[in-house]
Amino acid sequence: EFWPRGIDILQGSTDRECTGVSLVLQKLVEHGYTLYALSVEAHPKAPAYKNIPRIQSSRPFDDLFKHCQWYYEVEDQYPDPKYKMGYWTDFLALAPNVELPRSLSSLLSS
C-alpha cells in the first residue's frame, strides 16, 4: 500500500514531501523491480470517492514524485475540512527477471 499522506505523517512531514517515494518506491526501482500501480483507494466518505473511477486515469506514471503529488492534488480538487485520510494505491512490485503470469497481466492491462 502506498499512502502518501500517511507515509508523510509517519515521517514527521506535513509539507506534502512525498517521502514515500525515496523511502520505498525509488529503492524498489533502483533494485530492478517493475512497479504496477493498481486502482486508487479511499475511505467511502472521501469527497472524491465516487469520482475515483473517472479521475484515476489522469495519474502520471512517468515520474514517481509526480505520481505521489497527484494524490495531494486530488485532495485540493475535492476539499473537505473533515476528511484527513487522503487517497492511496497498492503497488505490485515485480522482482527483476520475473515475468508477470499471463492471467494477471490481462487483469492489470484493463
Side-chain angles (χ1 to χ4, degrees):
E1 187 167 277
F2 182 68
W3 181 25
R5 175 163 298 288
I7 295 169
D8 279 349
I9 289 170
L10 288 172
Q11 293 301 311
S13 169
T14 56
D15 294 332
R16 301 175 171 211
E17 293 177 35
C18 284
T19 55
V21 170
S22 61
L23 290 172
V24 180
L25 300 181
Q26 192 60 43
K27 288 184 181 186
L28 288 168
V29 171
E30 288 169 3
H31 287 90
Y33 283 78
T34 302
L35 301 179
Y36 295 90
L38 304 181
S39 61
V40 175
E41 300 293 334
H43 187 278
K45 292 192 178 189
Y49 185 76
K50 292 180 181 177
N51 294 311
I52 287 174
R54 181 179 55 80
I55 64 174
Q56 70 180 349
S57 64
S58 68
R59 286 182 294 174
F61 294 107
D62 61 331
D63 181 293
L64 291 172
F65 185 77
K66 287 180 186 176
H67 183 85
C68 178
Q69 285 294 312
W70 180 89
Y71 295 90
Y72 284 119
E73 290 167 9
V74 170
E75 291 180 28
D76 293 341
Q77 293 168 6
Y78 298 88
D80 183 339
K82 295 179 183 175
Y83 185 73
K84 303 292 184 200
M85 285 187 66
Y87 301 85
W88 61 91
T89 191
D90 290 316
F91 272 95
L92 172 64
L94 192 63
N97 303 316
V98 174
E99 288 188 30
L100 198 58
R102 278 191 181 267
S103 59
L104 189 56
S105 179
S106 62
L107 252 176
L108 294 174
S109 64
S110 55

mmCIF file of all heavy atoms in Angstrom, residues 22-70:
data_model
loop_
_atom_site.group_PDB
_atom_site.id
_atom_site.type_symbol
_atom_site.label_atom_id
_atom_site.label_comp_id
_atom_site.label_asym_id
_atom_site.label_seq_id
_atom_site.Cartn_x
_atom_site.Cartn_y
_atom_site.Cartn_z
ATOM 1 N N SER A 22 11.092 8.262 -1.991
ATOM 2 C CA SER A 22 12.502 7.912 -1.771
ATOM 3 C C SER A 22 12.664 6.759 -0.784
ATOM 4 O O SER A 22 13.590 5.964 -0.893
ATOM 5 C CB SER A 22 13.296 9.127 -1.304
ATOM 6 O OG SER A 22 12.773 9.615 -0.081
ATOM 7 N N LEU A 23 11.754 6.664 0.175
ATOM 8 C CA LEU A 23 11.863 5.598 1.183
ATOM 9 C C LEU A 23 11.482 4.229 0.656
ATOM 10 O O LEU A 23 12.008 3.220 1.126
ATOM 11 C CB LEU A 23 10.979 5.922 2.390
ATOM 12 C CG LEU A 23 11.415 7.078 3.262
ATOM 13 C CD1 LEU A 23 10.338 7.389 4.298
ATOM 14 C CD2 LEU A 23 12.723 6.743 3.956
ATOM 15 N N VAL A 24 10.557 4.183 -0.291
ATOM 16 C CA VAL A 24 10.032 2.894 -0.733
ATOM 17 C C VAL A 24 10.139 2.710 -2.247
ATOM 18 O O VAL A 24 10.863 1.837 -2.724
ATOM 19 C CB VAL A 24 8.557 2.719 -0.298
ATOM 20 C CG1 VAL A 24 8.016 1.384 -0.748
ATOM 21 C CG2 VAL A 24 8.392 2.881 1.199
ATOM 22 N N LEU A 25 9.407 3.509 -2.992
ATOM 23 C CA LEU A 25 9.281 3.269 -4.432
ATOM 24 C C LEU A 25 10.593 3.372 -5.184
ATOM 25 O O LEU A 25 10.925 2.503 -5.995
ATOM 26 C CB LEU A 25 8.250 4.232 -5.037
ATOM 27 C CG LEU A 25 6.833 4.142 -4.477
ATOM 28 C CD1 LEU A 25 5.917 5.131 -5.183
ATOM 29 C CD2 LEU A 25 6.290 2.729 -4.583
ATOM 30 N N GLN A 26 11.354 4.427 -4.944
ATOM 31 C CA GLN A 26 12.619 4.606 -5.662
ATOM 32 C C GLN A 26 13.595 3.473 -5.356
ATOM 33 O O GLN A 26 14.308 3.016 -6.241
ATOM 34 C CB GLN A 26 13.244 5.965 -5.316
ATOM 35 C CG GLN A 26 14.383 6.342 -6.229
ATOM 36 C CD GLN A 26 13.966 6.443 -7.687
ATOM 37 O OE1 GLN A 26 12.920 6.993 -8.011
ATOM 38 N NE2 GLN A 26 14.762 5.886 -8.563
ATOM 39 N N LYS A 27 13.606 2.999 -4.128
ATOM 40 C CA LYS A 27 14.503 1.892 -3.773
ATOM 41 C C LYS A 27 14.125 0.612 -4.520
ATOM 42 O O LYS A 27 15.001 -0.137 -4.957
ATOM 43 C CB LYS A 27 14.492 1.669 -2.266
ATOM 44 C CG LYS A 27 15.215 2.778 -1.544
ATOM 45 C CD LYS A 27 15.306 2.531 -0.073
ATOM 46 C CE LYS A 27 16.034 3.732 0.525
ATOM 47 N NZ LYS A 27 16.345 3.637 1.885
ATOM 48 N N LEU A 28 12.826 0.371 -4.671
ATOM 49 C CA LEU A 28 12.400 -0.799 -5.433
ATOM 50 C C LEU A 28 12.865 -0.700 -6.886
ATOM 51 O O LEU A 28 13.393 -1.659 -7.452
ATOM 52 C CB LEU A 28 10.877 -0.956 -5.363
ATOM 53 C CG LEU A 28 10.316 -1.408 -4.024
ATOM 54 C CD1 LEU A 28 8.798 -1.234 -3.994
ATOM 55 C CD2 LEU A 28 10.699 -2.852 -3.740
ATOM 56 N N VAL A 29 12.676 0.468 -7.485
ATOM 57 C CA VAL A 29 13.097 0.677 -8.875
ATOM 58 C C VAL A 29 14.613 0.524 -9.001
ATOM 59 O O VAL A 29 15.105 -0.130 -9.926
ATOM 60 C CB VAL A 29 12.627 2.059 -9.386
ATOM 61 C CG1 VAL A 29 13.246 2.389 -10.731
ATOM 62 C CG2 VAL A 29 11.108 2.104 -9.476
ATOM 63 N N GLU A 30 15.370 1.098 -8.078
ATOM 64 C CA GLU A 30 16.837 1.004 -8.109
ATOM 65 C C GLU A 30 17.321 -0.443 -8.030
ATOM 66 O O GLU A 30 18.386 -0.774 -8.532
ATOM 67 C CB GLU A 30 17.444 1.817 -6.973
ATOM 68 C CG GLU A 30 17.345 3.315 -7.175
ATOM 69 C CD GLU A 30 17.717 4.115 -5.938
ATOM 70 O OE1 GLU A 30 18.121 3.529 -4.905
ATOM 71 O OE2 GLU A 30 17.585 5.352 -5.998
ATOM 72 N N HIS A 31 16.529 -1.291 -7.408
ATOM 73 C CA HIS A 31 16.902 -2.693 -7.283
ATOM 74 C C HIS A 31 16.285 -3.554 -8.381
ATOM 75 O O HIS A 31 16.275 -4.785 -8.302
ATOM 76 C CB HIS A 31 16.532 -3.224 -5.897
ATOM 77 C CG HIS A 31 17.448 -2.703 -4.843
ATOM 78 N ND1 HIS A 31 17.205 -1.532 -4.153
ATOM 79 C CD2 HIS A 31 18.626 -3.164 -4.380
ATOM 80 C CE1 HIS A 31 18.176 -1.306 -3.309
ATOM 81 N NE2 HIS A 31 19.072 -2.280 -3.417
ATOM 82 N N GLY A 32 15.766 -2.909 -9.415
ATOM 83 C CA GLY A 32 15.321 -3.615 -10.599
ATOM 84 C C GLY A 32 13.879 -4.073 -10.622
ATOM 85 O O GLY A 32 13.466 -4.780 -11.546
ATOM 86 N N TYR A 33 13.106 -3.682 -9.639
ATOM 87 C CA TYR A 33 11.695 -4.078 -9.625
ATOM 88 C C TYR A 33 10.901 -3.248 -10.634
ATOM 89 O O TYR A 33 11.198 -2.076 -10.864
ATOM 90 C CB TYR A 33 11.081 -3.872 -8.236
ATOM 91 C CG TYR A 33 11.476 -4.931 -7.246
ATOM 92 C CD1 TYR A 33 12.724 -4.908 -6.627
ATOM 93 C CD2 TYR A 33 10.598 -5.965 -6.929
ATOM 94 C CE1 TYR A 33 13.084 -5.885 -5.717
ATOM 95 C CE2 TYR A 33 10.950 -6.946 -6.019
ATOM 96 C CZ TYR A 33 12.202 -6.903 -5.419
ATOM 97 O OH TYR A 33 12.559 -7.878 -4.525
ATOM 98 N N THR A 34 9.897 -3.860 -11.225
ATOM 99 C CA THR A 34 8.949 -3.158 -12.076
ATOM 100 C C THR A 34 7.709 -2.902 -11.230
ATOM 101 O O THR A 34 7.191 -3.826 -10.595
ATOM 102 C CB THR A 34 8.570 -4.017 -13.300
ATOM 103 O OG1 THR A 34 9.767 -4.328 -14.026
ATOM 104 C CG2 THR A 34 7.600 -3.272 -14.213
ATOM 105 N N LEU A 35 7.262 -1.656 -11.206
ATOM 106 C CA LEU A 35 6.109 -1.287 -10.379
ATOM 107 C C LEU A 35 4.853 -1.158 -11.217
ATOM 108 O O LEU A 35 4.871 -0.561 -12.296
ATOM 109 C CB LEU A 35 6.373 0.045 -9.661
ATOM 110 C CG LEU A 35 7.591 0.093 -8.749
ATOM 111 C CD1 LEU A 35 7.713 1.493 -8.139
ATOM 112 C CD2 LEU A 35 7.491 -0.960 -7.662
ATOM 113 N N TYR A 36 3.780 -1.716 -10.696
ATOM 114 C CA TYR A 36 2.469 -1.592 -11.309
ATOM 115 C C TYR A 36 1.537 -0.959 -10.276
ATOM 116 O O TYR A 36 1.293 -1.556 -9.230
ATOM 117 C CB TYR A 36 1.908 -2.965 -11.715
ATOM 118 C CG TYR A 36 2.706 -3.644 -12.802
ATOM 119 C CD1 TYR A 36 3.763 -4.494 -12.488
ATOM 120 C CD2 TYR A 36 2.405 -3.423 -14.142
ATOM 121 C CE1 TYR A 36 4.492 -5.116 -13.482
ATOM 122 C CE2 TYR A 36 3.129 -4.040 -15.141
ATOM 123 C CZ TYR A 36 4.178 -4.892 -14.807
ATOM 124 O OH TYR A 36 4.899 -5.497 -15.793
ATOM 125 N N ALA A 37 1.049 0.237 -10.584
ATOM 126 C CA ALA A 37 0.108 0.906 -9.689
ATOM 127 C C ALA A 37 -1.278 0.329 -9.944
ATOM 128 O O ALA A 37 -1.739 0.268 -11.084
ATOM 129 C CB ALA A 37 0.105 2.404 -9.938
ATOM 130 N N LEU A 38 -1.930 -0.091 -8.885
ATOM 131 C CA LEU A 38 -3.278 -0.626 -9.004
ATOM 132 C C LEU A 38 -4.279 0.516 -8.837
ATOM 133 O O LEU A 38 -3.916 1.684 -8.917
ATOM 134 C CB LEU A 38 -3.465 -1.751 -7.991
ATOM 135 C CG LEU A 38 -2.430 -2.889 -8.119
ATOM 136 C CD1 LEU A 38 -2.700 -3.974 -7.089
ATOM 137 C CD2 LEU A 38 -2.401 -3.479 -9.513
ATOM 138 N N SER A 39 -5.513 0.224 -8.601
ATOM 139 C CA SER A 39 -6.534 1.276 -8.550
ATOM 140 C C SER A 39 -6.357 2.209 -7.352
ATOM 141 O O SER A 39 -5.762 1.837 -6.340
ATOM 142 C CB SER A 39 -7.930 0.665 -8.529
ATOM 143 O OG SER A 39 -8.088 -0.131 -7.387
ATOM 144 N N VAL A 40 -6.893 3.392 -7.485
ATOM 145 C CA VAL A 40 -6.877 4.389 -6.410
ATOM 146 C C VAL A 40 -7.889 3.962 -5.360
ATOM 147 O O VAL A 40 -8.982 3.503 -5.676
ATOM 148 C CB VAL A 40 -7.214 5.791 -6.952
ATOM 149 C CG1 VAL A 40 -7.316 6.808 -5.825
ATOM 150 C CG2 VAL A 40 -6.187 6.216 -7.983
ATOM 151 N N GLU A 41 -7.514 4.139 -4.101
ATOM 152 C CA GLU A 41 -8.388 3.758 -2.989
ATOM 153 C C GLU A 41 -8.626 4.969 -2.086
ATOM 154 O O GLU A 41 -7.811 5.892 -2.040
ATOM 155 C CB GLU A 41 -7.754 2.639 -2.167
ATOM 156 C CG GLU A 41 -7.477 1.378 -2.955
ATOM 157 C CD GLU A 41 -8.728 0.670 -3.422
ATOM 158 O OE1 GLU A 41 -9.784 0.833 -2.779
ATOM 159 O OE2 GLU A 41 -8.661 -0.041 -4.439
ATOM 160 N N ALA A 42 -9.727 4.924 -1.359
ATOM 161 C CA ALA A 42 -10.066 5.973 -0.391
ATOM 162 C C ALA A 42 -11.155 5.440 0.522
ATOM 163 O O ALA A 42 -11.842 4.468 0.205
ATOM 164 C CB ALA A 42 -10.553 7.226 -1.097
ATOM 165 N N HIS A 43 -11.300 6.105 1.629
ATOM 166 C CA HIS A 43 -12.412 5.792 2.534
ATOM 167 C C HIS A 43 -13.716 6.155 1.807
ATOM 168 O O HIS A 43 -13.754 7.150 1.069
ATOM 169 C CB HIS A 43 -12.269 6.612 3.821
ATOM 170 C CG HIS A 43 -13.257 6.239 4.865
ATOM 171 N ND1 HIS A 43 -14.543 6.726 4.863
ATOM 172 C CD2 HIS A 43 -13.140 5.411 5.936
ATOM 173 C CE1 HIS A 43 -15.192 6.226 5.885
ATOM 174 N NE2 HIS A 43 -14.366 5.415 6.555
ATOM 175 N N PRO A 44 -14.780 5.385 1.988
ATOM 176 C CA PRO A 44 -16.050 5.699 1.312
ATOM 177 C C PRO A 44 -16.597 7.100 1.587
ATOM 178 O O PRO A 44 -17.386 7.622 0.804
ATOM 179 C CB PRO A 44 -17.011 4.634 1.843
ATOM 180 C CG PRO A 44 -16.135 3.506 2.253
ATOM 181 C CD PRO A 44 -14.845 4.132 2.729
ATOM 182 N N LYS A 45 -16.170 7.731 2.663
ATOM 183 C CA LYS A 45 -16.633 9.095 2.948
ATOM 184 C C LYS A 45 -15.709 10.168 2.354
ATOM 185 O O LYS A 45 -15.927 11.358 2.567
ATOM 186 C CB LYS A 45 -16.785 9.299 4.451
ATOM 187 C CG LYS A 45 -17.921 8.465 5.018
ATOM 188 C CD LYS A 45 -18.274 8.847 6.417
ATOM 189 C CE LYS A 45 -19.450 7.980 6.852
ATOM 190 N NZ LYS A 45 -20.022 8.381 8.094
ATOM 191 N N ALA A 46 -14.705 9.756 1.612
ATOM 192 C CA ALA A 46 -13.801 10.714 0.969
ATOM 193 C C ALA A 46 -14.579 11.540 -0.052
ATOM 194 O O ALA A 46 -15.427 11.011 -0.766
ATOM 195 C CB ALA A 46 -12.659 9.983 0.278
ATOM 196 N N PRO A 47 -14.287 12.832 -0.136
ATOM 197 C CA PRO A 47 -15.028 13.690 -1.061
ATOM 198 C C PRO A 47 -14.957 13.232 -2.521
ATOM 199 O O PRO A 47 -15.911 13.401 -3.263
ATOM 200 C CB PRO A 47 -14.382 15.063 -0.898
ATOM 201 C CG PRO A 47 -13.587 15.005 0.340
ATOM 202 C CD PRO A 47 -13.317 13.569 0.651
ATOM 203 N N ALA A 48 -13.851 12.638 -2.940
ATOM 204 C CA ALA A 48 -13.697 12.222 -4.339
ATOM 205 C C ALA A 48 -14.042 10.754 -4.559
ATOM 206 O O ALA A 48 -13.886 10.245 -5.665
ATOM 207 C CB ALA A 48 -12.263 12.485 -4.796
ATOM 208 N N TYR A 49 -14.523 10.081 -3.535
ATOM 209 C CA TYR A 49 -14.724 8.631 -3.607
ATOM 210 C C TYR A 49 -15.524 8.191 -4.842
ATOM 211 O O TYR A 49 -15.110 7.292 -5.564
ATOM 212 C CB TYR A 49 -15.398 8.123 -2.331
ATOM 213 C CG TYR A 49 -15.523 6.627 -2.279
ATOM 214 C CD1 TYR A 49 -14.411 5.844 -2.000
ATOM 215 C CD2 TYR A 49 -16.735 5.992 -2.515
ATOM 216 C CE1 TYR A 49 -14.508 4.467 -1.944
ATOM 217 C CE2 TYR A 49 -16.846 4.615 -2.470
ATOM 218 C CZ TYR A 49 -15.734 3.850 -2.191
ATOM 219 O OH TYR A 49 -15.827 2.487 -2.142
ATOM 220 N N LYS A 50 -16.635 8.826 -5.102
ATOM 221 C CA LYS A 50 -17.480 8.436 -6.234
ATOM 222 C C LYS A 50 -16.848 8.783 -7.581
ATOM 223 O O LYS A 50 -17.234 8.242 -8.611
ATOM 224 C CB LYS A 50 -18.858 9.075 -6.125
ATOM 225 C CG LYS A 50 -19.662 8.519 -4.969
ATOM 226 C CD LYS A 50 -21.022 9.163 -4.878
ATOM 227 C CE LYS A 50 -21.769 8.593 -3.679
ATOM 228 N NZ LYS A 50 -23.068 9.215 -3.478
ATOM 229 N N ASN A 51 -15.885 9.678 -7.577
ATOM 230 C CA ASN A 51 -15.227 10.098 -8.823
ATOM 231 C C ASN A 51 -13.949 9.324 -9.128
ATOM 232 O O ASN A 51 -13.360 9.531 -10.184
ATOM 233 C CB ASN A 51 -14.913 11.593 -8.758
ATOM 234 C CG ASN A 51 -16.166 12.421 -8.717
ATOM 235 O OD1 ASN A 51 -17.067 12.232 -9.519
ATOM 236 N ND2 ASN A 51 -16.242 13.328 -7.765
ATOM 237 N N ILE A 52 -13.526 8.466 -8.233
ATOM 238 C CA ILE A 52 -12.264 7.752 -8.429
ATOM 239 C C ILE A 52 -12.210 7.012 -9.766
ATOM 240 O O ILE A 52 -11.206 7.117 -10.475
ATOM 241 C CB ILE A 52 -11.947 6.832 -7.231
ATOM 242 C CG1 ILE A 52 -11.525 7.687 -6.041
ATOM 243 C CG2 ILE A 52 -10.856 5.822 -7.589
ATOM 244 C CD1 ILE A 52 -11.312 6.919 -4.755
ATOM 245 N N PRO A 53 -13.246 6.279 -10.160
ATOM 246 C CA PRO A 53 -13.143 5.586 -11.456
ATOM 247 C C PRO A 53 -12.856 6.531 -12.625
ATOM 248 O O PRO A 53 -12.153 6.172 -13.558
ATOM 249 C CB PRO A 53 -14.512 4.921 -11.616
ATOM 250 C CG PRO A 53 -15.006 4.738 -10.215
ATOM 251 C CD PRO A 53 -14.499 5.951 -9.471
ATOM 252 N N ARG A 54 -13.356 7.735 -12.552
ATOM 253 C CA ARG A 54 -13.160 8.709 -13.632
ATOM 254 C C ARG A 54 -11.799 9.403 -13.546
ATOM 255 O O ARG A 54 -11.128 9.586 -14.554
ATOM 256 C CB ARG A 54 -14.283 9.748 -13.594
ATOM 257 C CG ARG A 54 -14.194 10.800 -14.693
ATOM 258 C CD ARG A 54 -15.339 11.802 -14.621
ATOM 259 N NE ARG A 54 -15.476 12.453 -13.336
ATOM 260 C CZ ARG A 54 -14.738 13.478 -12.918
ATOM 261 N NH1 ARG A 54 -13.786 13.974 -13.682
ATOM 262 N NH2 ARG A 54 -14.938 14.030 -11.733
ATOM 263 N N ILE A 55 -11.381 9.780 -12.361
ATOM 264 C CA ILE A 55 -10.171 10.608 -12.230
ATOM 265 C C ILE A 55 -8.871 9.805 -12.177
ATOM 266 O O ILE A 55 -7.808 10.351 -12.451
ATOM 267 C CB ILE A 55 -10.247 11.550 -11.007
ATOM 268 C CG1 ILE A 55 -10.298 10.765 -9.693
ATOM 269 C CG2 ILE A 55 -11.408 12.502 -11.141
ATOM 270 C CD1 ILE A 55 -10.223 11.619 -8.447
ATOM 271 N N GLN A 56 -8.931 8.524 -11.842
ATOM 272 C CA GLN A 56 -7.678 7.791 -11.665
ATOM 273 C C GLN A 56 -6.882 7.632 -12.957
ATOM 274 O O GLN A 56 -5.664 7.448 -12.921
ATOM 275 C CB GLN A 56 -7.908 6.457 -10.988
ATOM 276 C CG GLN A 56 -8.604 5.404 -11.779
ATOM 277 C CD GLN A 56 -8.754 4.141 -10.958
ATOM 278 O OE1 GLN A 56 -8.173 3.970 -9.892
ATOM 279 N NE2 GLN A 56 -9.556 3.235 -11.459
ATOM 280 N N SER A 57 -7.536 7.758 -14.089
ATOM 281 C CA SER A 57 -6.804 7.636 -15.355
ATOM 282 C C SER A 57 -5.891 8.836 -15.612
ATOM 283 O O SER A 57 -5.042 8.788 -16.495
ATOM 284 C CB SER A 57 -7.776 7.467 -16.523
ATOM 285 O OG SER A 57 -8.577 8.616 -16.662
ATOM 286 N N SER A 58 -6.032 9.897 -14.823
ATOM 287 C CA SER A 58 -5.176 11.074 -15.000
ATOM 288 C C SER A 58 -3.872 10.988 -14.205
ATOM 289 O O SER A 58 -3.053 11.902 -14.267
ATOM 290 C CB SER A 58 -5.941 12.347 -14.607
ATOM 291 O OG SER A 58 -6.190 12.372 -13.215
ATOM 292 N N ARG A 59 -3.664 9.886 -13.481
ATOM 293 C CA ARG A 59 -2.420 9.744 -12.711
ATOM 294 C C ARG A 59 -1.216 9.687 -13.639
ATOM 295 O O ARG A 59 -1.217 8.955 -14.614
ATOM 296 C CB ARG A 59 -2.420 8.453 -11.882
ATOM 297 C CG ARG A 59 -3.305 8.482 -10.696
ATOM 298 C CD ARG A 59 -3.204 7.187 -9.914
ATOM 299 N NE ARG A 59 -3.741 6.075 -10.701
ATOM 300 C CZ ARG A 59 -3.680 4.807 -10.333
ATOM 301 N NH1 ARG A 59 -3.089 4.465 -9.213
ATOM 302 N NH2 ARG A 59 -4.197 3.866 -11.091
ATOM 303 N N PRO A 60 -0.162 10.437 -13.338
ATOM 304 C CA PRO A 60 1.059 10.332 -14.144
ATOM 305 C C PRO A 60 1.868 9.103 -13.722
ATOM 306 O O PRO A 60 2.023 8.822 -12.537
ATOM 307 C CB PRO A 60 1.811 11.623 -13.802
ATOM 308 C CG PRO A 60 1.305 12.015 -12.458
ATOM 309 C CD PRO A 60 -0.099 11.500 -12.349
ATOM 310 N N PHE A 61 2.342 8.371 -14.704
ATOM 311 C CA PHE A 61 3.128 7.173 -14.420
ATOM 312 C C PHE A 61 4.580 7.304 -14.881
ATOM 313 O O PHE A 61 5.349 6.367 -14.732
ATOM 314 C CB PHE A 61 2.489 5.948 -15.080
ATOM 315 C CG PHE A 61 1.148 5.604 -14.501
ATOM 316 C CD1 PHE A 61 -0.008 5.848 -15.217
ATOM 317 C CD2 PHE A 61 1.042 5.058 -13.239
ATOM 318 C CE1 PHE A 61 -1.255 5.540 -14.682
ATOM 319 C CE2 PHE A 61 -0.195 4.748 -12.688
ATOM 320 C CZ PHE A 61 -1.342 4.992 -13.416
ATOM 321 N N ASP A 62 4.953 8.455 -15.409
ATOM 322 C CA ASP A 62 6.308 8.626 -15.928
ATOM 323 C C ASP A 62 7.285 9.182 -14.887
ATOM 324 O O ASP A 62 8.478 9.248 -15.134
ATOM 325 C CB ASP A 62 6.293 9.535 -17.159
ATOM 326 C CG ASP A 62 5.754 10.926 -16.853
ATOM 327 O OD1 ASP A 62 4.914 11.060 -15.933
ATOM 328 O OD2 ASP A 62 6.172 11.879 -17.538
ATOM 329 N N ASP A 63 6.768 9.551 -13.717
ATOM 330 C CA ASP A 63 7.609 10.150 -12.680
ATOM 331 C C ASP A 63 7.006 9.794 -11.323
ATOM 332 O O ASP A 63 5.849 10.125 -11.058
ATOM 333 C CB ASP A 63 7.637 11.662 -12.891
ATOM 334 C CG ASP A 63 8.495 12.399 -11.897
ATOM 335 O OD1 ASP A 63 8.126 12.420 -10.695
ATOM 336 O OD2 ASP A 63 9.506 12.974 -12.312
ATOM 337 N N LEU A 64 7.769 9.126 -10.477
ATOM 338 C CA LEU A 64 7.244 8.666 -9.188
ATOM 339 C C LEU A 64 6.819 9.826 -8.291
ATOM 340 O O LEU A 64 5.809 9.739 -7.592
ATOM 341 C CB LEU A 64 8.269 7.799 -8.470
ATOM 342 C CG LEU A 64 8.543 6.437 -9.101
ATOM 343 C CD1 LEU A 64 9.727 5.757 -8.411
ATOM 344 C CD2 LEU A 64 7.307 5.557 -9.047
ATOM 345 N N PHE A 65 7.586 10.907 -8.297
ATOM 346 C CA PHE A 65 7.232 12.043 -7.456
ATOM 347 C C PHE A 65 5.924 12.682 -7.939
ATOM 348 O O PHE A 65 5.049 13.011 -7.141
ATOM 349 C CB PHE A 65 8.359 13.074 -7.418
ATOM 350 C CG PHE A 65 8.079 14.202 -6.471
ATOM 351 C CD1 PHE A 65 8.224 14.031 -5.099
ATOM 352 C CD2 PHE A 65 7.639 15.426 -6.939
ATOM 353 C CE1 PHE A 65 7.939 15.071 -4.211
ATOM 354 C CE2 PHE A 65 7.361 16.463 -6.069
ATOM 355 C CZ PHE A 65 7.512 16.285 -4.702
ATOM 356 N N LYS A 66 5.777 12.853 -9.252
ATOM 357 C CA LYS A 66 4.531 13.417 -9.790
ATOM 358 C C LYS A 66 3.356 12.496 -9.477
ATOM 359 O O LYS A 66 2.257 12.963 -9.193
ATOM 360 C CB LYS A 66 4.648 13.624 -11.291
ATOM 361 C CG LYS A 66 5.529 14.780 -11.683
ATOM 362 C CD LYS A 66 5.590 14.900 -13.194
ATOM 363 C CE LYS A 66 6.576 15.950 -13.628
ATOM 364 N NZ LYS A 66 6.713 15.994 -15.095
ATOM 365 N N HIS A 67 3.601 11.200 -9.544
ATOM 366 C CA HIS A 67 2.549 10.233 -9.220
ATOM 367 C C HIS A 67 2.100 10.431 -7.771
ATOM 368 O O HIS A 67 0.911 10.462 -7.479
ATOM 369 C CB HIS A 67 3.062 8.801 -9.430
ATOM 370 C CG HIS A 67 2.040 7.762 -9.183
ATOM 371 N ND1 HIS A 67 1.142 7.354 -10.137
ATOM 372 C CD2 HIS A 67 1.748 7.044 -8.080
ATOM 373 C CE1 HIS A 67 0.348 6.435 -9.635
ATOM 374 N NE2 HIS A 67 0.696 6.226 -8.378
ATOM 375 N N CYS A 68 3.039 10.594 -6.881
ATOM 376 C CA CYS A 68 2.731 10.815 -5.474
ATOM 377 C C CYS A 68 1.990 12.136 -5.279
ATOM 378 O O CYS A 68 0.985 12.182 -4.559
ATOM 379 C CB CYS A 68 4.018 10.802 -4.655
ATOM 380 S SG CYS A 68 3.757 11.129 -2.909
ATOM 381 N N GLN A 69 2.454 13.192 -5.903
ATOM 382 C CA GLN A 69 1.815 14.504 -5.760
ATOM 383 C C GLN A 69 0.380 14.492 -6.273
ATOM 384 O O GLN A 69 -0.459 15.254 -5.786
ATOM 385 C CB GLN A 69 2.626 15.580 -6.493
ATOM 386 C CG GLN A 69 3.894 15.981 -5.775
ATOM 387 C CD GLN A 69 3.595 16.671 -4.460
ATOM 388 O OE1 GLN A 69 2.779 17.562 -4.373
ATOM 389 N NE2 GLN A 69 4.281 16.238 -3.411
ATOM 390 N N TRP A 70 0.079 13.626 -7.219
ATOM 391 C CA TRP A 70 -1.271 13.530 -7.770
ATOM 392 C C TRP A 70 -2.290 13.281 -6.664
ATOM 393 O O TRP A 70 -3.386 13.839 -6.682
ATOM 394 C CB TRP A 70 -1.328 12.419 -8.826
ATOM 395 C CG TRP A 70 -2.665 12.248 -9.454
ATOM 396 C CD1 TRP A 70 -3.133 12.901 -10.561
ATOM 397 C CD2 TRP A 70 -3.724 11.388 -9.014
ATOM 398 N NE1 TRP A 70 -4.422 12.486 -10.838
ATOM 399 C CE2 TRP A 70 -4.807 11.552 -9.897
ATOM 400 C CE3 TRP A 70 -3.865 10.494 -7.965
ATOM 401 C CZ2 TRP A 70 -5.998 10.863 -9.771
ATOM 402 C CZ3 TRP A 70 -5.057 9.800 -7.820
ATOM 403 C CH2 TRP A 70 -6.107 9.990 -8.723
#
